[in-house]
DNA sequence: ATTTAACCTAGCAAATTAGTCAGATATTCA
DNA sequence: TGAATATCTGACTAATTTGCTAGGTTAAAT
């Protein structure tokens, strides 16, 4: 089973998208800036998210990505499945052929665990996350930080000649 | 977060130990034979299990490993923690400094998930597993297979000269 | 003394991760 | 038309982890 930075980045980016998609598409560079993630890496993840029909893209200036479904209809498990391929604690991908064609001693345990995790992550939608107080707070901090950084950038440009 | 073959092997081996520890210590070669695991790899895992005081060892002929606590007092989470170091879905080991010293957007989600998984695995003891019908069935199959293999081995030795 | 087992150390091939880099392609705006 | 913006695409890579092997040492039982 794997739940690594890849899945975490994807969920973080999708949540950022959900939080900022009030007015048109959001570009990956915006997300990369706010969440401090690598742009190129995000591009790779969004290819998979698009193929799994979680987001839709629009190219060109003013373009970017937007959610393909209402926030309440996208759960965390969908996102992780899309980029991480699977959240599966068994060694045999649930096929029960873990010990030379037979079931291994602990197969049932890992199967139960997989269902437990999947159930938990299926029960949480982007809408749930957007509404969480702690997450709202973090998001506001990120927005104001980015604004401050942009202002500084403007000053640098204006005074450099 | 990681839950790989390492943790699975450890739990499988500990369960095998629990199932066969009725009469004295169990050697790692027995476990390796029954569960079809690498002996050297098992040795490495049992170093950690011993350091975490889940098993005790006795050397020499007839030696091997035995459980250091009653089966009801060893839970799956203990075993995985011992070999896998941790089952933690956050990127910051729970320290909340995931984004340049601040909390990242999805920290709370991964924290909840970690607690969910840990709670589930803490709730399952070796005693619970030993008593499960499916596991009893798999164990009986393994025992009879090994016996058959040993008989065959005996015949080979007797007829080879 | 020999055998059996735990114990210890080092190293390694394959896979995975978390990226970078360089460019192609599509869209909008001036 | 052309410049700017942004998504796409693929190849490549450094670092880490995993699962495993090899080879040896130490302790206890026969």
């Amino acid at each position: 089973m794997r739940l690594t930075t890849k899945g975490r980045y994807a969920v973080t980016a999708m949540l950022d998208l959900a939080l900022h998609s009030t007015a048109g598409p959001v570009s990956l560079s915006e997300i990369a800036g706010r969440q401090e993630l690598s742009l190129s890496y995000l591009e790779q993840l969004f290819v998979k998210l698009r193929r799994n029909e979680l987001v839709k893209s629009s190219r060109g200036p003013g373009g970017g990505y937007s959610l393909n479904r209402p926030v309440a209809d996208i759960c965390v498990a969908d996102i992780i499945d899309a980029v991480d391929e699977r959240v599966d604690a068994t060694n045999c991908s649930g096929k029960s052929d873990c010990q030379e064609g037979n079931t291994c001693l602990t197969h049932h345990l890992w199967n139960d665990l997989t269902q437990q995790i999947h159930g938990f992550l299926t029960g949480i939608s982007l809408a749930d996350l957007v509404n969480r107080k702690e997450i709202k707070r973090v998001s506001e901090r990120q927005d104001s930080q980015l604004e401050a950084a942009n202002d500084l950038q403007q000053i640098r440009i204006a005074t450099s000649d």
Side-chain angles (χ1 to χ4, degrees), chain A residues 71-100:
Chain A
V71 279
D73 294 357
I74 298 179
C75 66
V76 177
D78 291 339
I79 301 171
I80 292 179
D81 285 349
V83 297
D84 236 359
E85 321 298 25
R86 69 216 136 94
V87 176
D88 186 358
T90 67
N91 198 21
C92 54
S93 309
K95 295 197 297 285
S96 300
D97 57 354
C98 358
Q99 190 181 12
E100 305 259 319

Side-chain angles (χ1 to χ4, degrees), chain A residues 35-46:
Chain A
Q35 305 305 328
E36 299 175 28
L37 308 175
S38 144
L39 173 61
S40 305
Y41 197 42
L42 271 186
E43 286 176 348
Q44 289 175 43
L45 296 181
F46 270 75

